[in-house]
Amino acid sequence: MFLNKWWQYLILATVVAVLAVASLIGLAAVLIYPDLPSLESLTDYRPKVPLRVYSEDGYLIGEFGEERRAVVKIEDVPLHMKQAILAAEDERFYQHGGVDTLGVLRAAFANLSAGGAKEGASTITMQVARNFFLSSEKTLKRKISEALLAIKIEHSLSKDRILELYINQIYLGQRAYGFAAASQVYYGKPLDKLNAAEFAMLAGLPKAPSRYNPFANLKRAEARQNYVLKRMRELKFLSESEYQASLKQELHFKASRQSRDLAADYVAEIVRQELYSRYQESIYSSGMKVVTTILKKNQLAANEAVLRGVLDYDKRHNYRGPEGLVHLAHGDQGSLEALMDDALDDVQEFGGLVPAVVLDASPKRIKAYRQNGHIEEITGDGLQLVARTLAEKAADKQKIKRGSIIRLYQANDGKWSVVQLPQVEAALVAADPQSGAIRALVGGFDFTRNKFNHATQAWRQPGSSFKPFIYSAALEKGLTAATVINDAPIVISAAETGSSEWTPQNFDGKFEGPMRMRTALTKSKNMVSIRILQNIGVPYAQDYIQRFGFSAKDHPPYLAMALGAGSVTPWQMVGAYSVFANGGYRVQPYLIAKITDAQGKLIEQAKPVSAGAGAEHVVDPRNTFIMTSILRDVARIGTAAKARELGRYDLAGKTGTTNNLVDAWFAGYNPTQVAVAWIGFDQPRTLGNQETGGHAALPMWISYMGKVLQGVPDEPYPVPPGVVQAKVNPLTGLRVDENESGLYEYFYQEFLPPLAHSGESNILDGEEPAIPPPGGGGGGVSPMLQDQLF
């Protein structure tokens, strides 16, 4: 009897509820439905897709926009992804008409049983309506509007289209909109590469992206993931074995929280600025895609080269001390970790240099705490930078002790070392010398810390790395690699300098007397460079260097131009040295290969002119061949002899060091790759004793070229027509007979020097030796050159 009455009450309550809902819907239809927004934004869906920048080989370098979004078609969404979403959000999606009445009743019963609002009843269609048209305010009118809009949407669009809109529009944390974008943000891979466990994690995010974000709270995210997996098993989307395997599946999240596959922030910013200048604010939402000329292998090599360059520089100089101090009382482990985590929250990581708190320090070991419970021990070579400061007599401000905030760096071999945030900056630019395509660009130690691009914006003196352009001009004027020039003191009048009298010096302070031009450039002799410029004339040289892309205004018409006293950027130097590498063609360095719109339609395609295929031939190939042969000597037996460790014979280049060791350069190449490395301070000051181009910049270049040329065979430089080889007396530069002793040298056919017994001279301006070379005899010939045949 009681049971029958219970059923009667239930039926009556249901009828009343249905009538109430029907009345409410009828009233809403009359009052609200006419004011519902048009569905045009759904039928003509144009999401705000950010500007994306890619490397030539398809790796994401950067994206710019308020929303991270990647649009995917419903047919390209993996089945398990769809099923995970339905299991988490709306299992009856394909059965209801926009509002799930059964779901509403089930949620109401669950909430009454729980004594509060524990379960929602929003369908996927209702969420689409809310995301596109409505606010998130919790009012009855908004809820009714949401339901009516859902019904309207269901009448206008197919189920698959509604699900596609949801998959692309829903917010999933970390500025990611849509599941395709979230897949890249959280896992660093596309949707079709995920497994069921990863799908479930993503499907759990729409309920509360900030709460279930695995980057913010992994335990909470895993609990939500397990719920989604359980629902997928209950709905038979997963078998029992698949369910169990997914529960045990270890998740591997993206190491970097930045949305990119390849670190090339300075490149991305160059592209952003260029596109903004053309298209203004629209670039941030129109979905443009830019493909650059960057190659991942090259960029990674450049990144590492610059980082190691600045860290190694710091190792050669003093440790400046810890960045702060945390007062660590001896308490329980949990409270200490919380204290250290809070302190480290305020210290930003730059360039992979991780902040840490010292737990214990001794001359042979440092024990340090990294955020989230990681403890590292640093010993041996890892303490090289701070070895002095670990001594008991170290200055207080440099002293490392318990609680000190320091920086750690983990090398590729997994070993940690103590480092410090560098004050010095560095840059490296590399290109294909045949086309001008930029293959790698690093504009500084860390873009987040210093957005000034030293590769393109830093106008610095090139020092001796500029000398090859003066020597090239001399070859065109009739001087030869065998012309003998006096390395002797010289005084330049105020009229010639434009300011005051100048007594230049060689970098090493030594004068070696007459020597061949080849020897002088190999040894980077300043006196010889100045005499060459005096001979060919400053106006001629100022005009000639424009063939390499330099502007005359950046190189004032004074003899100091011979020593690189003008201004250049690393980007400029890459283009200039490309002329030597490609046989005399002027190619324009370029970075943007093509631009497409959101639909993949081509907007712009680069049309570079290459060496031998449209590029202007600005320098005689005989000139570039002879210059390359000299610059190969620089890289084998001269100021850049350290490059020999690469074990190649096709490398050529020139070091550069400016007055007071303010800037250090190395610019070099082979036929397939040209690269320029620079290091210095933003506010120019000396780099310190011995910090020359060969010591501070060349190692970066070697590191880069060693990686990108690995496995690439040596490429010989063919002798161009019009170049002849002849044996010369190294002391006079005059030709000798084949049966006489001497060295072989390359010449233009028309500029062959006279025979030694002709009575003519091959000494510049007929100068007689003013200073005998060390050890007597008057040739100024390096012993290293005695066995060189050309």
Side-chain angles (χ1 to χ4, degrees), residues 603-678:
I603 296 175
E604 184 178 323
Q605 176 85 50
K607 297 178 181 178
V609 290
S610 301
E616 184 183 4
H617 212 163
V618 293
V619 178
D620 192 318
R622 299 176 299 174
N623 184 305
T624 60
F625 174 80
I626 294 173
M627 284 305 305
T628 293
S629 77
I630 300 175
L631 294 174
R632 286 173 66 198
D633 276 3
V634 174
R636 291 196 307 124
I637 54 176
T639 55
K642 185 176 174 62
R644 283 185 301 185
E645 68 185 53
L646 292 176
R648 301 183 66 93
Y649 296 95
D650 60 351
L651 301 178
K654 185 69 186 73
T655 52
T657 311
T658 61
N659 273 352
N660 298 319
L661 299 103
V662 170
D663 296 281
W665 296 78
F666 187 77
Y669 58 91
N670 86 333
T672 63
Q673 192 81 197
V674 57
V676 174
W678 166 87

Side-chain angles (χ1 to χ4, degrees), residues 357-667:
V357 177
V358 174
L359 298 175
D360 183 55
S362 70
K364 293 188 176 181
R365 186 194 74 154
I366 286 179
K367 188 177 180 182
Y369 174 88
R370 294 192 294 118
Q371 268 193 317
N372 301 319
H374 299 287
I375 296 176
E376 312 298 343
E377 281 198 9
I378 304 95
T379 58
D381 290 342
L383 300 175
Q384 183 180 341
L385 174 65
V386 294
R388 290 182 184 177
T389 66
L390 292 174
E392 292 182 5
K393 295 182 180 180
D396 189 58
K397 70 175 183 178
Q398 295 178 327
K399 190 75 174 177
I400 293 178
K401 55 191 175 184
R402 179 175 169 82
S404 293
I405 297 176
I406 61 173
R407 294 275 174 172
L408 303 179
Y409 174 70
Q410 188 176 31
N412 293 333
D413 60 5
K415 294 182 179 179
W416 290 89
S417 57
V418 179
V419 295
Q420 64 185 343
L421 285 179
Q423 294 178 345
V424 74
E425 282 289 358
L428 191 148
V429 191
D432 176 352
Q434 305 301 321
S435 66
I438 299 295
R439 296 309 190 190
L441 186 148
V442 181
F445 160 66
D446 184 272
F447 179 78
T448 307
R449 188 170 179 233
N450 186 349
K451 292 178 172 55
F452 184 76
N453 191 334
H454 302 83
T456 60
Q457 296 174 302
W459 290 88
R460 310 290 290 226
Q461 289 187 338
S464 294
S465 63
F466 195 75
K467 288 176 181 175
F469 308 109
I470 303 301
Y471 277 65
S472 174
L475 293 182
E476 287 301 293
K477 274 285 194 174
L479 276 67
T480 74
T483 299
V484 175
I485 304 171
N486 203 3
D487 176 33
I490 188 172
V491 177
I492 311 298
S493 68
E496 292 178 283
T497 65
S499 57
S500 57
E501 187 176 273
W502 177 40
T503 307
Q505 300 292 319
N506 282 324
F507 180 78
D508 58 8
K510 299 177 183 178
F511 300 102
E512 298 186 50
M515 61 179 61
R516 291 175 299 135
M517 267 179 51
R518 175 182 292 276
T519 308
L521 187 55
T522 302
K523 291 186 170 187
S524 199
K525 288 294 186 176
N526 289 344
M527 303 304 107
V528 173
S529 297
I530 292 170
R531 284 187 163 88
I532 288 173
L533 185 54
Q534 279 182 318
N535 179 268
I536 64 175
V538 172
Y540 173 77
Q542 196 182 34
D543 178 70
Y544 183 84
I545 62 172
Q546 295 180 65
R547 303 184 189 192
F548 295 90
F550 298 115
S551 173
K553 68 179 177 59
D554 298 322
H555 301 272
Y558 303 111
L559 289 174
M561 180 178 24
L563 309 185
S567 298
V568 300
T569 66
W571 177 284
Q572 256 195 339
M573 292 289 274
V574 158
Y577 270 82
S578 292
V579 177
F580 289 137
N582 65 30
Y585 293 93
R586 174 80 194 286
V587 294
Q588 296 288 347
Y590 73 103
L591 188 59
I592 297 176
K594 68 175 179 179
I595 305 170
T596 58
D597 65 14
Q599 287 72 46
K601 182 180 177 181
L602 185 66
I603 296 175
E604 184 178 323
Q605 176 85 50
K607 297 178 181 178
V609 290
S610 301
E616 184 183 4
H617 212 163
V618 293
V619 178
D620 192 318
R622 299 176 299 174
N623 184 305
T624 60
F625 174 80
I626 294 173
M627 284 305 305
T628 293
S629 77
I630 300 175
L631 294 174
R632 286 173 66 198
D633 276 3
V634 174
R636 291 196 307 124
I637 54 176
T639 55
K642 185 176 174 62
R644 283 185 301 185
E645 68 185 53
L646 292 176
R648 301 183 66 93
Y649 296 95
D650 60 351
L651 301 178
K654 185 69 186 73
T655 52
T657 311
T658 61
N659 273 352
N660 298 319
L661 299 103
V662 170
D663 296 281
W665 296 78
F666 187 77

